[in-house]
Amino acid sequence: MSLEADAGIRRTGGVGGGGPTVPPAGPTESPTAHPTQHPTSVRRVEEARARFGPFTDDYLAAMWRGDPLADAFVADFAALGHGRAMRMLRTACRRGIDEVPDAPASLRALFDELDAVPEWFDLPAIEDATRYTSRYSRASGIALGAASLVSGYANSAASRPLEMTGRYIESAGARTIEVGSWLKQVGEPGGLTRFGQGFELTVRVRIIHALVRAALRERPDWDRAAWGEPICQAYLGYTLVEFTLIPLRAMERIGAPYLPTEQAAAYARWRYIGHLLGIEETLLPRDAAEQERLEEIYLLTRPEVDDYCRSLVASINAEFLVPELEGVLPRPLHRHAPAAVSALERIFLGDEVADDLDIPRTPLVAVIRAGGPALSAVNRLRDRSTRSLQRRTARGKIFEVEQEARLRRDWGVAHDLVDASPGGGKPHPARGDL
């Protein structure tokens, strides 16, 4: 199977139904029975319709939908007990659904979908194309924080679940390490095989989303008319943009470009991860063109930034990104780390989003932007040598191991995802301690 990106953009039909009533929440809602009305916090809808046609109504309608299969399993937690249900999930991931003889029908239905590998997914080809990507490990960690994670905070509705569960206020570092743990495992050789660690972590992320969704549905302060369904399909789809298009573009801008085959493989990998996360087909981008369309409509219609969005950015910058950048800069340059982080975020996000998030303007933007193309040219020359690729990749893998150990030590994090995190902080629905 070829990993070359398909330049075509899917166009889906218009949305059926309509009416002013906000659709009811719940795990059994139909993925096709949705109104054309959109959450009230969404902006510039008519401009979106003019630019994106029928896809706009599909995208807006997806704001009313969660993940029916995962939500149905989580609805059974009350009868099963949280701990027992999560043990069933882990057993099904590690040994197969048939090894869970008392599994509820909801879990079996979920794994009927998860066990069916799409014909378009070619993991050996993906892994072959990405065997040298660790050569950029040092830069990719900064891009993850300053581009991927921060981009999601420019949407107050999408950020609201983090605010209401207290996950980032509890610890910006811990959550960033959790995200990094997941990303590391889905990129490991064999990680996305049926019994790979990346497969399991992705399925657990899906259930964590469903647990948060179920908890927020019950809260009187979740304004569904304004924000839509918690962790809705539209914003789940954007997750793939955050971890593919945005970091690939960010790396190019700071002089660490991936090869075309590596980029195509990244889109193919994340298409499958999106499938495992329960993203509907109409919102599951296949390539760069479809991710670009999803990014554009997300940015155009996103609700206004609020003070919590700004506090998220301030938190990740002060608690995580600035200290991390200080770790790779010579000591005399440490005082420039805050400005350098702001400059990177402005380069990655653009001035409109950066202004909304109160990211300071700095002359370092011009300096970093000017150096990116020259460094990219140097690295493209280096990438012509297989020996150089191998040597730099080996160094990058050593850095990854050392970096993860250091972060876990510095932040006192021993778990992988929040569902396995210790109690003692703010109660979280994924831990079952609400």
Side-chain angles (χ1 to χ4, degrees), residues 73-144:
F73 175 52
V74 165
D76 284 335
F77 274 43
L80 295 170
H82 185 99
R84 183 183 176 209
M86 291 302 290
R87 288 191 295 273
M88 287 179 170
L89 180 72
R90 288 184 173 86
T91 299
C93 286
R94 297 171 187 177
R95 294 162 49 195
I97 189 63
D98 289 339
E99 295 298 311
V100 190
D102 52 350
S106 59
L107 185 60
R108 291 190 174 276
L110 176 63
F111 275 85
D112 281 346
E113 178 188 81
L114 292 170
D115 286 335
V117 179
E119 57 85 22
W120 43 258
F121 179 56
D122 188 346
L123 184 58
I126 291 169
E127 292 186 343
D128 181 64
T130 56
R131 62 191 182 279
Y132 299 130
T133 53
S134 289
R135 69 190 183 279
Y136 289 137
S137 291
R138 289 181 181 271
S140 64
I142 298 297
L144 168 66

Side-chain angles (χ1 to χ4, degrees), residues 169-298:
I169 298 304
E170 183 178 337
S171 175
R175 184 176 183 272
T176 306
I177 292 168
E178 291 163 1
V179 172
S181 296
W182 172 46
L183 297 182
K184 181 177 185 297
Q185 291 302 325
V186 299
E188 286 287 314
L192 286 176
T193 57
R194 170 58 184 84
F195 297 103
Q197 185 67 11
F199 177 96
E200 178 185 327
L201 263 61
T202 304
V203 174
R204 283 168 55 199
V205 167
R206 182 173 180 176
I207 299 305
I208 290 168
H209 288 162
L211 286 163
V212 171
R213 194 180 297 117
L216 293 183
R217 281 175 180 156
E218 300 300 317
R219 289 182 52 161
D221 51 348
W222 180 263
D223 188 346
R224 194 165 191 273
W227 306 324
E229 182 76 350
I231 314 181
C232 67
Q233 280 289 324
Y235 298 154
L236 274 175
Y238 185 72
T239 300
L240 304 195
V241 176
E242 291 181 287
F243 292 120
T244 320
L245 174 66
I246 290 174
L248 289 175
R249 187 172 58 208
M251 294 290 282
E252 174 86 26
R253 289 174 177 172
I254 60 174
Y258 291 106
L259 300 168
T261 51
E262 293 172 330
Q263 295 184 42
Y267 288 108
R269 186 194 303 274
W270 278 93
R271 182 184 179 190
Y272 181 61
I273 293 171
H275 166 76
L276 295 181
L277 288 172
I279 299 172
E280 297 170 6
E281 186 64 25
T282 54
L283 289 166
L284 185 59
R286 297 174 296 186
D287 53 33
E290 292 186 359
Q291 288 212 9
E292 287 167 0
R293 178 181 63 165
L294 191 54
E295 179 187 41
E296 288 170 8
I297 196 169
Y298 174 92

Side-chain angles (χ1 to χ4, degrees), residues 367-385:
V367 176
I368 296 173
R369 186 171 280 147
L375 188 54
S376 288
V378 171
N379 279 324
R380 285 194 175 95
L381 286 174
R382 298 170 76 193
D383 287 349
R384 294 180 181 179
S385 166

Side-chain angles (χ1 to χ4, degrees), residues 328-382:
V328 300
L329 291 175
R331 184 169 293 277
L333 297 179
H334 283 192
R335 63 190 178 91
H336 298 295
V341 168
S342 296
L344 288 169
E345 289 171 345
R346 283 197 164 268
I347 290 169
F348 296 156
L349 305 176
D351 284 336
E352 178 186 348
V353 173
D355 287 342
D356 283 351
L357 292 170
D358 283 350
I359 295 169
R361 292 178 178 267
T362 166
L364 286 181
V365 169
V367 176
I368 296 173
R369 186 171 280 147
L375 188 54
S376 288
V378 171
N379 279 324
R380 285 194 175 95
L381 286 174
R382 298 170 76 193

Side-chain angles (χ1 to χ4, degrees), residues 308-322:
Y308 182 73
C309 297
R310 299 181 186 100
S311 71
L312 280 175
V313 175
S315 178
I316 192 175
N317 285 352
E319 294 185 33
F320 193 80
L321 288 176
V322 169

